[in-house]
Amino acid sequence: MNFLVKTGSATAIATPVLVLGVFDDGTLPATTADIDQATGRAISRVMKAGDIKGKLGDGLLLQKTKGCRAERLLLIGLGKPKELDAKKYATALRATCKLLQQYQLGSAVVTLAAAEIKDCDAQRKAALLARLFEHGQYRYYTTKPKASKLFQLEQVTLLLDAAGDRAGARRGVATGAATGRAMNVARELGNLPANICTPTYLGKQALQLAKRNKQLTTQVLSEAQMKRLGMHSLLSVGNGSAQSSALIIMHYKGAAASERPHIVVGKGITFDTGGISLKAGLGLDEMKFDMCGAASVLGVMNALCELKPAMNVIGVIASAENMPSGTATKPGDVVTTMSGQTVEILNTDAEGRLVLCDALTYIERFKPASVIDIATLTGACITALGSVCSGLMSPDDKLAETLYQCGLASLDPAWRLPLWDEYQEQLKSNFADIANIGGPKAGTVTAGCFLARFTKKYRWAHLDIAGTAWLQGGDKGATGRPVPLLLEYLLNAAK
Ligand code: BES
Ligand code: MN
Ligand code: ZN
């Protein structure tokens, strides 16, 4: 999709469709009021008639009227003027995108950003518009090639008032569009079935991305290489699988080699049966989404290649398939991690932390400026927070606060849970340095506490995306979260 930014009068613009906001108290944003005036009150009339009430997300398409050069007007409800904030603006944008697709209008001029929106400058308004439109263009086809194709918008022009910050809006469009596309990369990988999307497949995607982009180099460590490094915890997870495990390392180089990198580490369990601690059958297909942390890392690396920020970022994916078999790891088995700490695997279904801990030790060599791991780690996180926000844990108050703010700013929120020492007690083992489960209480926190034992050498935060990475039910599919949060954080760090 092509995004343009323009300033000026809406009445003078020729377009197949002009998108105008309307409020639910009968008042109109300035741009809409201008068109209303110019068209002899065409908009006031339909509002008075009750054809559109201005409720948030409402839509009404009007045919050409005298007084403006647009062939159609698409009215979009913005709700109450005083309550219009980024979240509501996003709802209005989603509705706009859907209606343009439904009416097959491939080129539009959108004026919604001309309204006053709480805590939103031109850059943020433009970023949200580009992101949500890109996001709205995605549909899954790969293993459903005959499905009807979603209508694709070709050109969207963002119209600001004469005093609008065009340069800011252009910056916003670039980051927003890249964010939306990165989410779609993550969604596609998440949605692919586990018989296609294996650890080897993820490695290939990472290698291909590096081939297309000079600033990226990818390395995929084989099982033999990981064995030599002492990654027996990561390797133990794939013991029961016919698929090889992989550690994927992607270096994005946008700054001098002396500049310390930020690192994102994704859990890439391409299918989680639970292993010998086998899961129940209901909804088990959804465990193909257990690589959504890894998918978000690949999405982020895609966006960095596109935006080329002046910084160094390393994306790491710890990937394996968790299967039961005669060669699978058994409850009670003890493995030695790369860090030298031994782990008693009391439950083979707590496998995410087992692959992550070795990846988190491996990256010490890069002397990171910060490390964020992203994982569909615990069902308990869904119980605690539902699907509204991701779980956020960090021993570093400043990093936790920064990520919390990035979540709010990007409409991809995360909420902090504690990693206090008291919880570490639950991970005691009689047979190893640490157990891989902490009992029924505070499951999300004890998973975080497990990882904390491997991250003492750098600034680190953990995101549990078990509730946010995919939707269930009729809309079943990967969401692309927390790509927006991660990009907000990384691109701010580059400034
Ligand atoms: N991938 C799951 C967590 C999960 C479950 C995410 C359901 C989303 C939906 C993870 O590997 C897992 O199985 N965790 C266990 C941990 C337990 C054994 C301590 C869980 O949450 O039950
Ligand atoms: Mn599991
Ligand atoms: Zn898992």
Side-chain angles (χ1 to χ4, degrees):
M1 197 177 346
N2 191 18
F3 292 102
L4 299 173
V5 175
K6 286 191 181 157
T7 53
S9 147
T11 48
I13 224 157
T15 170
V17 58
L18 181 66
V19 180
L20 299 165
V22 296
F23 292 123
D24 74 353
D25 63 354
T27 65
L28 299 173
T31 313
T32 310
D34 288 348
I35 296 282
D36 194 39
Q37 283 285 325
T39 58
R41 306 217 154 258
I43 297 164
S44 299
R45 262 202 311 282
V46 293
M47 290 198 75
K48 245 198 199 126
D51 295 357
I52 181 165
K53 299 204 168 62
K55 209 167 64 60
L56 184 65
D58 273 358
L60 182 68
L61 188 66
L62 300 178
Q63 269 300 318
K64 187 170 180 66
T65 46
K66 273 192 199 130
C68 77
R69 297 182 62 205
E71 284 164 44
R72 297 172 193 81
L73 303 177
L74 178 61
L75 306 185
I76 295 289
L78 296 174
K80 301 204 177 355
K82 282 212 183 102
E83 289 176 8
L84 184 58
D85 59 7
K87 268 193 223 181
K88 297 204 160 89
Y89 169 63
T91 303
L93 288 171
R94 280 188 206 99
T96 304
C97 184
K98 274 208 180 115
L99 286 164
L100 292 174
Q101 288 166 336
Q102 190 183 314
Y103 289 113
Q104 311 217 328
L105 296 165
S107 173
V109 174
V110 180
T111 68
L112 300 183
E116 182 81 31
I117 303 169
K118 253 185 253 172
D119 300 326
C120 274
D121 57 10
Q123 182 168 341
R124 186 156 183 237
K125 287 172 177 176
L128 282 171
L129 181 138
R131 169 179 142 198
L132 289 162
F133 274 71
E134 282 290 353
H135 185 275
Q137 296 272 80
Y138 171 81
R139 182 177 282 175
Y140 179 79
Y141 302 110
T142 309
T143 50
K144 203 180 170 182
K146 293 197 201 93
S148 66
K149 296 283 178 292
L150 191 61
F151 180 81
Q152 295 290 303
L153 311 183
E154 262 152 36
Q155 180 159 299
V156 175
T157 302
L158 173 63
L159 191 70
L160 301 170
D161 55 42
D165 170 15
R166 252 189 298 177
R170 293 214 168 98
R171 279 196 304 274
V173 158
T175 56
T179 303
R181 285 193 282 267
M183 292 175 84
N184 293 346
V185 166
R187 290 162 83 190
E188 176 68 12
L189 288 167
N191 289 336
L192 283 174
N195 60 331
I196 295 176
C197 186
T198 60
T200 307
Y201 182 90
L202 287 175
K204 275 192 190 145
Q205 297 306 303
L207 287 166
Q208 276 174 18
L209 185 64
K211 230 180 191 171
R212 294 197 301 270
N213 293 283
K214 275 212 182 95
Q215 280 170 298
L216 195 77
T217 52
T218 293
Q219 191 187 2
V220 182
L221 297 189
S222 68
E223 291 192 347
Q225 287 171 300
M226 288 193 276
K227 203 165 183 180
R228 267 178 258 132
L229 285 161
M231 298 185 159
H232 304 293
S233 179
L234 191 158
L235 289 168
S236 75
V237 174
N239 273 351
S241 170
Q243 299 295 334
S244 299
S245 304
L247 186 74
I248 304 162
I249 304 123
M250 291 166 276
H251 288 258
Y252 166 78
K253 291 171 193 153
S258 56
E259 218 156 289
R260 291 167 69 181
H262 293 276
I263 306 188
V264 284
V265 183
K267 170 180 172 182
I269 299 297
T270 57
F271 197 82
D272 180 13
T273 63
I276 296 298
S277 311
L278 194 62
K279 286 181 183 293
L282 193 72
L284 192 51
D285 63 287
E286 291 181 19
M287 282 299 114
K288 72 171 182 178
F289 295 119
D290 212 17
M291 38 57 72
C292 281
S296 75
V297 168
L298 272 161
V300 163
M301 300 318 281
N302 258 275
L304 295 175
C305 289
E306 213 178 290
L307 295 168
K308 308 196 191 317
M311 69 190 310
N312 294 325
V313 178
I314 303 176
V316 176
I317 291 173
S319 191
E321 186 184 63
N322 188 21
M323 297 289 279
S325 88
T327 57
T329 300
K330 302 166 292 297
D333 284 2
V334 175
V335 293
T336 303
T337 63
M338 186 182 177
S339 74
Q341 299 174 86
T342 56
V343 176
E344 185 184 14
I345 302 176
L346 287 170
N347 189 320
T348 63
D349 198 10
E351 84 297 340
R353 61 199 82 179
L354 296 176
V355 295
L356 286 171
C357 70
D358 281 339
L360 290 167
T361 301
Y362 179 80
I363 60 173
E364 283 174 2
R365 66 189 61 201
F366 302 125
K367 304 206 171 6
S370 75
V371 176
I372 304 172
D373 77 78
I374 310 103
T376 49
L377 207 61
T378 64
C381 194
I382 314 176
T383 306
L385 301 172
S387 293
V388 175
C389 59
S390 303
L392 160 62
M393 282 145 269
S394 178
D396 184 316
D397 290 338
K398 234 179 116 191
L399 181 58
E401 176 62 20
T402 301
L403 288 168
Y404 170 66
Q405 292 300 340
C406 288
L408 295 181
S410 61
L411 302 186
D412 184 8
W415 191 261
R416 191 180 184 189
L417 298 170
L419 285 183
W420 295 327
D421 283 342
E422 288 85 336
Y423 293 102
Q424 289 286 357
E425 302 291 312
Q426 289 175 236
L427 294 173
K428 278 194 174 148
S429 160
N430 285 352
F431 305 107
D433 296 330
I434 178 171
N436 82 323
I437 54 168
K441 292 181 176 176
T444 304
V445 169
T446 53
C449 285
F450 181 96
L451 298 177
R453 303 236 188 168
F454 300 85
T455 56
K456 299 223 163 91
K457 301 217 168 114
Y458 45 71
R459 289 177 72 217
W460 160 77
H462 162 56
L463 291 172
D464 193 328
I465 57 166
T468 51
W470 73 90
L471 301 170
Q472 299 179 313
D475 294 335
K476 195 194 284 185
T479 59
R481 290 178 70 179
V483 166
L485 188 167
L486 293 170
L487 284 173
E488 181 82 23
Y489 170 74
L490 291 171
L491 297 175
N492 282 345
K495 275 172 203 164

